[in-house]
Amino acid sequence: MAMVLKKMGRVAGLVFGSYIESVEFREAMVKLVAYAVVFAIGYHLNLVFGDDRIAPLLDGYAMTSLFAGLQFLSGAMDRTILVGGCLVVLFSLVLKLVISLAVGAIILPFSVTYNMYKVLKNGYLLVKYGIDG
């Protein structure tokens, strides 16, 4: 693997290597791309908010905030034990989605800003170290 990265060049070796900057860069880029894809899906589906001109934007934001909220709450709400039948599971799933949408609507701008900061900071360091050696 190291030989393949060496042949790809310094910058590619740093970006796809196991350095702290490259791992943070990759994670932030994956999250930003996932947010963009989920926003595009919500924008084109236009399921919830009707036929206004701003409705596709609201649908895209709602889908993306749901995704961000599920990511944020996955550590806290995944370790729950449910005792009951199918209705209890369905009720808890709907409750989790509603809470994720509410939390994600608040968290999404901060998450996007923080991930963009990490991409710019770590990308600059990777390019700087890759070119200067």
Side-chain angles (χ1 to χ4, degrees):
M1 181 69 178
M3 188 62 152
V4 172
L5 294 176
K6 187 175 181 181
K7 289 187 178 191
M8 289 173 64
R10 282 187 184 169
V11 175
L14 285 171
V15 170
F16 296 110
S18 61
Y19 305 105
I20 294 172
E21 293 88 4
S22 63
V23 171
E24 288 181 358
F25 180 81
R26 280 194 312 263
E27 288 175 357
M29 278 300 291
V30 166
K31 284 184 182 179
L32 288 175
V33 169
Y35 289 157
V37 167
V38 172
F39 181 84
I41 290 170
Y43 183 85
H44 288 293
L45 287 179
N46 195 14
L47 296 173
V48 179
F49 290 105
D51 294 328
D52 295 336
R53 289 187 301 169
I54 198 169
L57 293 173
L58 292 174
D59 282 329
Y61 188 80
M63 290 278 287
T64 310
S65 65
L66 181 67
F67 181 69
L70 284 172
Q71 279 185 334
F72 184 75
L73 294 176
S74 66
M77 295 184 76
D78 280 348
R79 294 185 176 94
T80 57
I81 298 174
L82 297 175
V83 178
C86 293
L87 289 176
V88 172
V89 173
L90 183 66
F91 177 73
S92 68
L93 179 65
V94 169
L95 183 64
K96 183 177 180 179
L97 289 176
V98 168
I99 292 172
S100 297
L101 184 62
V103 169
I106 298 167
I107 294 296
L108 183 62
F110 299 111
S111 178
V112 169
T113 305
Y114 181 67
N115 285 319
M116 287 177 62
Y117 168 74
K118 284 187 357 184
V119 164
L120 292 175
K121 182 187 87 165
N122 293 320
Y124 170 74
L125 291 175
L126 290 172
V127 170
K128 179 182 170 188
Y129 293 143
I131 292 174
D132 293 339

